[in-house]
Amino acid sequence: MINPLFKRVPKNIKKDWKKYLILCLLLLLTISLVSAMYVGNNSMERTFADCYADYNIEDGHFELKDEPTDFLKGKIEDEGIKLYPQFYKDFDEDKEPFGDADGTIRVFEIRKDVNLAAVKEGKMPTGNDEIAIDFRHAGNIGIKVGDTIMVGDSKMTVTGLVSFSDYSTLYKKNTDTMFDAITFDIACVTPECFEKLDADTVWQYAYQYNDRPETDEEKKTLADDLIPKVAVLAATGGYLDDEDAAKELADNVDIWKAYLEDVQDKADELEERGDELQERAAKLEAEGKELKELMLKGEDVQSKAADLQKRGDALKEEGDALQAEADALKALQPTIDEYVDNLEALEPYEDNITELTDFVPEYACQAIHFAPNDMGSDKAMCEVLLIVFVVVLAFIFAITASNTITSEAKVIGTLRASGYTRGELLRHYVSVPIMLTIISALLGNLIGYTVLKNVVIFIYSRSYSLPPIKTYWDADAFIRTTVFPVVTVIIINVVTVAIRLRISPLKFLRGDLSLRKNKKAVRLPKFKFFTRFRLRILGQNIPGYLVLFAGIFFVMVLLIFSVGMPYTLDKYMSKADTFAIADYQVILKTTEDDDGNRITTDTATAEEFSMDSLSTVSGVRVGEEITVYGYSDGSKIFDLPYDLPKGKVYISADYADKFGIDTGDEIELKAKFAKDAYRFEVAGIHEVFGSLSIMMPNDSFNEVFGNEKGSFSGFISNKEIKDIDDKYIGAVITRFDLMAMARQLSYSMGGIMDIFSYFCAAMAILIIYLLTKIIIENNAGSISMVKVLGYKPGEIGSLYVLLTTIVVVISTAAAAALSYYFVAWLWRYIMYGMAGWFKFEMDFLPILKCVVMVLVAYTIVALIDLRRIRRIPLTEALKNVE
Amino acid sequence: MTMSEEKFLEVSNVFKAYGEGDSRQEVLRGMDFTVTKGEFCVLLGPSGSGKSTLLNIIGGIDSADEGYIAIGGDKLRDMDEKALTQYRRKHLGYVFQLYNLIPNLTVKENIEVGAYLSDKALDIDELLKTLGLYEHRHKLPNQLSGGQQQRTSIGRAIIKNPDILLCDEPTGALDYNTSKEILKLIEDVNQKYGNTVIMVTHNEAIQHMADHTIKLRDGKVRKSIINENKISATELDW
């Protein structure tokens, strides 16, 4: 026979349908959202994983300064890789109506071998004035198939919207802090059209290993080995018979050439001076002969002879000095011979020499990996929210069950006295929460797999250029969104109900549900009666109020995040004027003009500076790019002392914050494409934000990186530099570029966050409604009793609702403060996984906005509570449990 | 009459006190009596005489400080929590003054709650008819009068055909006529099913329908009377 108590289950649900409906809706909503997030993310991740085979994604790519010769390409391919040309040209892009450029478009030839593109709308271009552009960028700025856009000076028709398998995230440079799907675009054209487009070609090659690695470790080992080899091959034009010699050559070729030039100059100078000495010696000899003749004629030549002697001695001294210098130069001969020999070895390769300007192994390519990695971090965040929310809801269920036990104490006593076991009653009282959780979880998963999954994919497609996504069944998602909530609800409810049922049948029959023996009333100070009354009510309802606090904290975390994120981004962008080092950083291709003169600028505030980048080897993010600045003596922009000993550096405040570095600490960085390690001592923290950087005097910079004294990279200025010919400019970094991260996040998340904050306010109403309802229900008997005694509704409200109001206000204020720190911690955790750094920021006003939202939600609930209290019948206090 | 029939329920030198120190109150002070199988026994006494406490100890939901209670020779003090539950499940039916019905189960379902505990349960429809509740079987407790609710609670107790039916002031909340109806019902049940009935009451009139009356005062048995001339519940008057 089935336990007849289970016949109560549908009746219990029907009796409290509002409460259970809200709980189910909250569970359903959360589980469906998280399920959708998991399924959507996992489907996208699986699709991304499949892309490697479906679209033949590269193992990496690199860029050379010049087009490599076949010889050099062959030498590079000898390192166990196959090269695929992937040349591109960057242009200004402008959509109709034409005017100022809207951004940059990077144009490739249509790929046929690696990094293939998927056509999402339209078709691939076939004509010389046709182009297919990135699907996401097109969506972001409103370009459609058939539209006309300007690519540099060429007007082109968009024939298709595509997603490139190696550009799911639109990173202009792999070292950029953030992708930019708004002002950066990727496109492909026919080979003929590419040829026709007028711009400098960037000689990029994608590569795949002949023996392709499978694990990330293998990929990293291979790339660590390959990068310096390609760099050396490029620098030596393919000379790599002896690896050590080649590396030495690559490292020293410029130094040796300069040395030999210096030696040659010196030799020329000595020769010149030797010729001059010989001329003067011949002249002295002639004068001596004349003097001798005069002396024979009997003339007095004593003073002239003395002068001649003096000049002769001086000439001899100069001759000796010259000889000494010549001897010294001669002593250099073995070195010179060695350098010459070395350089001679390089001579056959001279035509092949170029320079490796960029190298990005696939595993480190942000354009390929950012989107799948972001999905991972979003899942982690969702998991935290799911855990917190399920635990809160499980406690709400447990408190509901506990209150039911209280109200049915005598029935339970009777059943226990009749022979019902604790286990039978336990199963009965936990059956409703477990059953509802199972139903909500199954329905939630159903909705998550169908409707909401597409919403999640849509949200991601606002940021990323996704390939067509296939849906995959995900056991992990099922465990997390179904098994976990059900198990959590079972554990929390079973434990809570089991503890409640530990009371003896007799105590149940007497309605004495206290677990503690000899419980004594706490003596209260001589407050007013109503205050003491409220404190007693508080004491009786501590578990309910604790869960109320937990519920408010949970809602507040969501609210602080949803209000705080756009606020942080806005704040970050609005502070751009103050936190970046300077408005413009102009990086020169060469620091000498065509005439060999040092390039200068008349722009006020412009200063020479040097720039390079290294990467971190330890700390919260390995491989984080750190910009290295060399500042000039007396720099007003950097405003740092120049007499800093070599090896000591200043670091930016963001670098210090992200990696937890302090003054006096030692930092270790490494070169991007080599194994060279650099160690610095932190002399101080420079209050510049927006970049992770270290700063040192330019002389130290040149010494550290082996540059010639006086070398520099370009100019840094707070005014636009207009007097340098574009042909000498390699790159210009503006504040706008530093804003890319915030701009993209603001675009992709800002709108959603606004909607999310109102969703949180609605959730606040539901959770507070539910929890205060439980508290009032738990006190229905007492409320009824004070009504019987003649208390007016206002007085009852002041006892129960005012107390709850005080608890809610204090909980909201405390939860706001705690949530702020929790979200700030969560934000740091999220940012650790991303390139760059900016802190979560919220001023008092936005936090107050969150508090007000919760309190407004509570005001609505309080009005409902007052009505609910008025409706509690007088007979409640007197009636039997029926 | 065999020995086991003679001493189906044995209450031996039972002491029970509540509280500690100054607030300690002795409720039972050496209670001794026996009840035979099938007997209708009334525990009669004023408020505070210890009759409900004694009933609770017999029911295994409270325990004696000293002495013991044995049912069919099995001492309750030797039983652990699990065994006590099984004891209640197999042997006892409980009827309370305030019915303690499950509010959202119908009359029939409330009685099924009792039936579930036994593998020798009585026929429920027959019992409903016996109880006069057949027409009301689909009603919820709050649709019933006090008498009907108490009948339901009696039905829940006896459906499993318990060896002992414990009744704690079953008419305490009912009017005169309804009380008599309930008493008649208990009498009928006792006669029809042969259960041992132990009823706690402070109503002296009820002793006249019992086989055995035990009068209690200050936690002790003052009188144990075997009623040779018992009358039917319908003849009672107070």
Side-chain angles (χ1 to χ4, degrees), chain A residues 638-660:
Chain A
F638 285 93
D639 194 22
L640 291 169
Y642 203 76
D643 55 350
L644 200 63
K646 188 192 164 196
K648 285 197 169 190
V649 294
Y650 286 91
I651 68 172
S652 68
D654 278 351
Y655 180 24
D657 193 19
K658 181 167 185 177
F659 283 80

Side-chain angles (χ1 to χ4, degrees), chain A residues 1-5 7-8 11-12 15 408 410-411 413-422 424 427 504-507 509-510 518 880-882, chain B residues 18 20 56 59 61-62 81 85-86 88-89 92 94 96 98-106 109 112-117 141-142 149 156 160:
Chain A
M1 183 180 185
I2 297 169
N3 189 338
L5 290 177
K7 290 185 180 173
R8 295 183 75 204
K11 293 176 181 180
N12 284 347
K15 182 186 161 203
E408 295 183 350
K410 289 189 174 169
V411 172
T414 304
L415 293 174
R416 292 278 289 124
S418 302
Y420 270 82
T421 61
R422 282 200 186 104
E424 283 163 340
R427 284 192 287 281
S504 71
L506 188 59
K507 287 183 92 175
L509 283 166
R510 288 171 178 165
N518 304 322
N880 181 27
V881 182
E882 284 171 18
Chain B
Y18 291 110
E20 287 173 0
N56 290 335
I61 59 174
D62 204 349
E81 171 65 33
T85 301
Q86 283 305 312
R88 291 196 298 265
R89 198 175 180 110
L92 298 187
Y94 245 112
F96 292 94
L98 289 176
Y99 335 131
N100 297 347
L101 298 175
I102 297 171
N104 54 0
L105 290 185
T106 63
E109 287 165 348
E112 280 176 344
V113 168
Y116 169 74
L117 298 170
N142 62 4
Q149 288 189 55
R156 178 179 62 189
K160 62 180 180 180

Side-chain angles (χ1 to χ4, degrees), chain A residues 277 280-281 283-285 287-288 304-318:
Chain A
L277 283 180
R280 282 164 59 195
K283 202 175 163 190
L284 277 182
E285 200 176 339
E287 282 182 47
K304 283 185 182 174
D307 175 55
L308 196 62
Q309 181 65 40
K310 200 175 169 187
R311 285 162 58 203
D313 291 345
L315 192 62
K316 188 171 182 298
E317 262 180 44
E318 279 187 59

Side-chain angles (χ1 to χ4, degrees), chain A residues 590-599 728:
Chain A
T590 170
T591 53
E592 286 183 357
D593 63 17
D594 292 343
D595 300 326
N597 299 318
R598 190 179 177 95
I599 293 172
Y728 300 127

Side-chain angles (χ1 to χ4, degrees), chain A residues 298-549:
Chain A
E299 285 187 29
D300 182 9
V301 294
Q302 196 169 356
S303 63
K304 283 185 182 174
D307 175 55
L308 196 62
Q309 181 65 40
K310 200 175 169 187
R311 285 162 58 203
D313 291 345
L315 192 62
K316 188 171 182 298
E317 262 180 44
E318 279 187 59
D320 290 345
L322 190 64
Q323 187 59 47
E325 284 184 57
D327 290 346
L329 200 60
K330 209 171 176 181
L332 296 177
Q333 196 58 46
T335 309
I336 293 165
D337 290 346
E338 184 192 336
Y339 288 179
V340 168
D341 287 347
N342 288 344
L343 290 174
E344 272 175 3
L346 207 56
E347 256 172 34
Y349 303 93
E350 198 72 43
D351 294 340
N352 305 309
I353 287 174
T354 179
E355 187 185 326
L356 179 70
T357 53
D358 196 17
F359 196 115
V360 183
E362 178 276 327
Y363 68 82
C365 182
Q366 298 223 67
I368 295 174
H369 283 279
F370 187 90
N373 289 348
D374 181 36
M375 282 155 200
S377 63
D378 287 351
K379 276 197 304 187
M381 220 166 76
C382 274
E383 194 174 346
V384 172
L385 294 179
L386 178 73
I387 291 168
V388 175
F389 196 55
V390 165
V391 169
V392 168
L393 286 181
F395 272 111
I396 293 175
F397 271 127
I399 285 194
T400 304
S402 177
N403 288 347
T404 307
I405 289 170
T406 304
S407 66
E408 295 183 350
K410 289 189 174 169
V411 172
I412 294 167
T414 304
L415 293 174
R416 292 278 289 124
S418 302
Y420 270 82
T421 61
R422 282 200 186 104
E424 283 163 340
L425 294 175
L426 175 72
R427 284 192 287 281
H428 171 61
Y429 283 102
V430 299
S431 59
V432 172
I434 292 170
M435 205 175 75
L436 292 181
T437 307
I438 291 172
I439 293 170
S440 303
L442 292 175
L443 272 178
N445 268 288
L446 191 69
I447 297 169
Y449 266 86
T450 52
V451 185
L452 286 181
K453 178 211 73 184
N454 295 326
V455 174
V456 168
I457 292 173
F458 169 75
I459 290 169
Y460 278 99
S461 70
R462 282 170 61 89
S463 300
Y464 307 123
S465 193
L466 306 175
I469 305 295
K470 291 171 263 182
T471 303
Y472 289 94
W473 154 255
D474 189 341
D476 184 46
F478 180 76
I479 288 169
R480 286 166 197 272
T481 58
T482 306
V483 177
F484 165 71
V486 172
V487 169
T488 305
V489 168
I490 289 174
I491 291 171
I492 291 175
N493 280 268
V494 165
V495 169
T496 308
V497 172
I499 289 170
R500 297 287 280 158
L501 291 177
R502 272 171 55 199
I503 297 166
S504 71
L506 188 59
K507 287 183 92 175
F508 271 115
L509 283 166
R510 288 171 178 165
D512 174 14
L513 303 190
S514 164
L515 280 167
R516 282 178 291 175
K517 287 180 181 171
N518 304 322
K519 188 183 169 188
K520 288 180 183 170
V522 178
R523 287 180 71 91
L524 295 172
K526 288 181 181 175
F527 294 139
K528 285 180 182 171
F529 170 67
F530 262 48
T531 308
R532 279 184 282 130
F533 200 156
R534 284 191 202 102
L535 286 172
R536 294 285 179 211
I537 297 168
L538 179 69
Q540 283 162 4
N541 292 284
I542 281 174
Y545 283 125
L546 281 177
V547 176
L548 181 63
F549 172 76

